[in-house]
Each structure stands twice: as C-alpha cells, then as structure tokens.
Amino acid sequence: MARLRTIEDLGDLRGRRVLVRSDLNVPLEHSPDGARITDDGRIRASVPTITSLAEAGALVVIMAHLGRPKNGPEDKYSLAPVAERLGDLRAAPVRLAELGKPLPNMAAGDVVLLENIRFDPRETSKNDDERGELAGELAALTGTQGVFVSDGFGVVHRKQASVYDLARELPAYAGGLVLTEVEVLRKLTHDPERPYAVVLGGSKVSDKLQVIESLLPQVDSLLVGGGMCFTFLAAQGLGVGDSLLEEDQINSCRRLLESGKVVLPVDVVVADDFSAEANTRTVPVEKIPDGWKGLDIGPESVAAFAQVLASAKTVFWNGPMGVFELAPFAEGTRGVAQAIVDTTAGKGDGTVGFSVVGGGDSAAAVRALGLPEDGFSHISTGGGASLEYLEGKVLPGIAVLEERK
Ligand code: 3PG
Ligand code: MG
C-alpha cells in the first residue's frame, strides 16, 4: 500500500480553507422536544482532526451525512444537533452552513459544518459526471490553495462525491482518524499475532457471508452469536423454533462449518415474544422449544467463547450476541465483550491480546452496556467499512488517496 499523505505533510495552513469529510452519522432519537443523539462516539472520534486543523489556523469546512435522505432536505435528517454537539465537545462554536450557498464569513480557526451533504442527490449518484459536478462545486468553496482532508473512515467504502470525487479535485490528505483505522485493520490482515479469534454477531448470515468466507482461512476461530447463529444451528440439523432462520443460507452455513473453525453457542435464551416483558428461558441449543425464539446466547456459551478468547492474541468483534437493547437479552453481548476486555488486559491466561471492535452496533453496545471504551485496543468508527477492508475489498475513499497526482 502506498503511504497515505497525511496532515503532517501539509505545509502552512494559516488562512487556507480545508474541506474535511467526517463521518458524523450518529443515531438520533426524535421526540416532540427535538432530536437527541443517543451515541456520539463518531462525533468524539472526529474532533481531534478538526481541532488540529483549526489550531493550525485553517478555515475548516466539514462535510458529513446523516442517514439516507432520498428527497432532498428534510428536518429529521438535519445535522443541526450534530453541529451543536460538536461545538460542545470543542468548546467552540460550530456553525451550520446551508448547502449550495456561499460560505458564511470565516476567520482563521473557524469551523463550519455543511448541512447534510446527502440532501444533494449528486452526492450519492451512480453517475460519475453528476458526482464530479458536485465535487467541483465543493472544491470551488475553498478558493485557491484549498485542500481536502478525508477523515470519515465510516464512509470510505462509499464511492460518493464528498468521499471519492473530491479527492480528485483538490490535493487530498488522510486525516488522523482514517490513518489510525487503516493502520489497525492492516495489523489484522497482515500477520496477526495468533491465535486470532473473530467474534461475529448480528441478525443475518446473508449480510456476513462474504466476510466469513474471506476471514475463515485467516483466523483460528470464528465465534458466531446473534440472530445469525440459528441458521448455523439449523445447518447442524437442530430445530430452532421461531428463531430467525435464513433457509436459503443453510447450505452455505454447512459448508462453512466444514472448516472446523466455527464455534457455535451451546445454549440460548429463548422468549415467547420479541419484547422486554416476554417470558424467557435458557435452554441447550438441542432443546429450543417450538413457538419460542432465541434472542441471546446463554451463559454456557459465554463461558465457552470466553475460554477461546482468553488465549487469543488478536480479537476482532463485529455484531452483538443478542438483542442487547432489551435487558433480558443483553447478558450474552455483555459477557463476550467483558471477555474481550479481559483478554486485552491479559487477565485470561496472562496473554495480552490486541482487540478491535468493528463499528456500528458493537461500538454502541460497548457504550450502552457501560463497558470501558479503553478496555479495547481500538473501537472502529466504521462497521461496513471495516468489514469490507477485512474482506480485502478496495475502499474507494482510501484508494483515491493512494493515487499519485
Ligand atoms: C454508516 O453509518 O455505516 C456510515 O456512516 C455510512 O452510511 P451509509 O451506510 O448510509 O452509507
Ligand atoms: Mg451502515
């Protein structure tokens, strides 16, 4: 891989306009009182790059998206709450600027956040010319001597105007967050310390099939929990009651099981309803009753997974083990996350492990369950992006930074 040009390679930034692509796509809860950010991990992770550019005297213009708006500007997709939180975290105002309008007056060190870049349909267009046109307009906002800093790791797997095309319009540099993320994932794909264990959860096998296929030859064990474990259990000939089942994936799961590296739960928490008030029982996987659905892995599974993790020297985790948002089904995720924290600290058999949490739901689970963020070696801000990196796919937003001008 070519060395990425970094912010350190930039010369004097005083008075120069810098367009920064960040991933500030955070979960929001809407109520009559307005929108509340339920997990600000991505905003916090984006602050250091923004602050260092501002401190270097640049005029910082941030581009980011929120959700997937399909019909132009809509209040519920506004970045206003994000601008406010960013300002709080920086203890300096972050103004929200309209898209497609001239920028407000700015002085050295000022930070402006452009409204949701996906309000402009050209951002996500499949048409290269349309995206290129938007990228040209964005580049023009910087006047002469403008630069682009790509720091939205969570979105580098998207070939979109503010991620990809803009890097061809302006001198482009990787921000500190993108650099760290890529470095960490490189460690996992190039000669990880062994044993290397991957923990995968989440609801669908079909979403993760590709990543499982590409990871299996690289890892020593693949621990599977979450909704997708039931299709694997069915592939072993077990009945799974009303649990999530992807019949069309059973054959693929059977093939993956032949690797001998897949470790499945031995017990599960089943419920008669998908709710926090449901009746629940913990049963061995051979005895999932008809009419009940598995919503978490059970304590014996946690113990079995923890045993594998205790001796692991490298761990990657993506996807919750159960419906952790509902208290009766949170213990599997908590237990496995704690086992990873213990391994990272060298508590298991004394071996210190290098642990990476891959984005999205698992990162939110860490914070929602009150686990220490610094208990892991790295918590990625990119779910999809980190999985695609591990699959060996080309990430357009990274590849474009490697192109030599
Ligand atoms: C994410 O949340 O996964 C990133 O911000 C990318 O968003 P997207 O999946 O809507 O492209
Ligand atoms: Mg996503």
Side-chain angles (χ1 to χ4, degrees):
M1 189 187 77
R3 192 184 80 91
L4 296 174
R5 291 195 296 183
T6 74
I7 302 185
E8 276 74 56
D9 299 320
L10 275 160
D12 189 357
L13 278 176
R14 264 169 302 174
R16 288 170 75 181
R17 282 181 200 244
V18 179
L19 281 171
V20 187
R21 180 55 158 105
S22 299
D23 185 355
L24 306 177
N25 189 24
V26 290
L28 293 181
E29 212 173 72
H30 295 274
S31 77
D33 306 329
R36 191 178 71 85
I37 296 167
T38 55
D39 179 33
D40 68 358
R42 279 180 166 163
I43 307 180
R44 283 185 287 124
S46 302
V47 167
T49 295
I50 293 164
T51 298
S52 72
L53 292 168
E55 282 175 355
L59 286 62
V60 183
V61 180
I62 308 166
M63 302 163 297
H65 73 282
L66 187 76
R68 295 178 178 174
K70 291 278 176 286
N71 308 304
E74 259 184 276
D75 272 354
K76 68 171 178 180
Y77 293 117
S78 170
L79 281 170
V82 172
E84 195 181 318
R85 178 66 56 91
L86 195 52
D88 290 347
L89 290 167
R90 293 195 57 235
V94 173
R95 280 176 291 168
L96 187 68
E98 267 183 273
L99 270 189
K101 298 271 165 68
L103 290 173
N105 284 331
M106 292 175 74
D110 279 359
V111 177
V112 160
L113 170 62
L114 284 185
E115 183 54 286
N116 194 339
I117 191 78
R118 289 187 182 172
F119 284 169
D120 189 320
R122 293 174 297 176
E123 166 72 2
T124 52
S125 171
K126 296 266 175 286
N127 181 309
D128 294 352
D129 295 336
E130 287 180 6
R131 288 197 322 274
E133 186 187 67
L134 173 58
E137 288 172 22
L138 291 167
L141 292 175
T142 62
T144 54
Q145 287 208 311
V147 291
F148 171 54
V149 172
S150 173
D151 207 38
F153 178 73
V155 79
V156 290
H157 58 318
R158 305 291 184 218
K159 192 173 182 181
Q160 298 180 347
S162 66
V163 178
Y164 173 81
D165 302 81
L166 187 53
R168 313 182 108 186
E169 297 283 338
L170 289 176
Y173 297 81
L177 179 61
V178 156
L179 276 180
T180 304
E181 297 261 23
V182 170
E183 221 166 84
V184 164
L185 293 173
R186 247 183 89 79
K187 229 188 221 181
L188 297 185
T189 47
H190 292 68
D191 204 19
E193 263 204 89
R194 295 189 180 277
Y196 175 18
V198 167
V199 185
L200 283 184
S203 48
K204 289 192 172 167
V205 184
S206 47
D207 287 349
K208 302 262 162 92
L209 200 60
Q210 262 190 302
V211 73
I212 297 176
E213 302 243 19
S214 37
L215 280 175
L216 269 180
Q218 301 175 38
V219 305
D220 298 296
S221 330
L222 185 84
L223 314 178
V224 176
M228 69 185 201
C229 76
F230 298 99
T231 305
F232 279 96
L233 293 170
Q236 289 188 320
L238 299 177
V240 297
D242 275 0
S243 310
L244 209 94
L245 176 64
E246 288 177 278
E247 304 241 15
D248 57 343
Q249 302 295 328
I250 292 182
N251 279 333
S252 308
C253 288
R254 207 169 276 141
R255 193 164 37 76
L256 296 170
L257 286 169
E258 281 167 13
S259 68
K261 292 178 178 176
V262 178
V263 182
L264 294 175
V266 291
D267 61 345
V268 288
V269 179
V270 295
D272 60 357
D273 188 23
F274 191 100
S275 91
E277 289 75 40
N279 295 304
T280 66
R281 293 196 224 158
T282 300
V283 296
V285 288
E286 298 81 14
K287 297 201 171 133
I288 300 176
D290 285 342
W292 291 61
K293 46 179 131 290
L295 295 181
D296 195 13
I297 64 171
E300 286 183 29
S301 309
V302 171
F305 285 14
Q307 205 181 347
V308 175
L309 292 168
S311 59
K313 286 201 169 169
T314 306
V315 180
F316 175 77
W317 169 37
N318 178 289
M321 297 292 101
V323 187
F324 73 92
E325 298 89 341
L326 305 178
F329 316 111
E331 290 315 304
T333 303
R334 188 196 309 279
V336 168
Q338 186 61 50
I340 299 174
V341 169
D342 290 346
T343 281
T344 314
K347 271 189 209 149
D349 63 357
T351 326
V352 177
F354 178 71
S355 62
V356 179
V357 182
D361 285 348
S362 358
V366 165
R367 294 183 278 262
L369 298 174
L371 288 147
E373 284 183 85
D374 59 4
F376 303 86
S377 310
H378 180 72
I379 300 183
S380 174
T381 55
S386 58
L387 287 180
E388 289 197 17
Y389 186 101
L390 295 183
E391 275 169 48
K393 286 193 183 155
V394 172
L395 305 177
I398 300 294
V400 73
L401 298 178
E402 291 170 348
E403 282 174 16
R404 286 289 165 197
K405 291 233 166 103

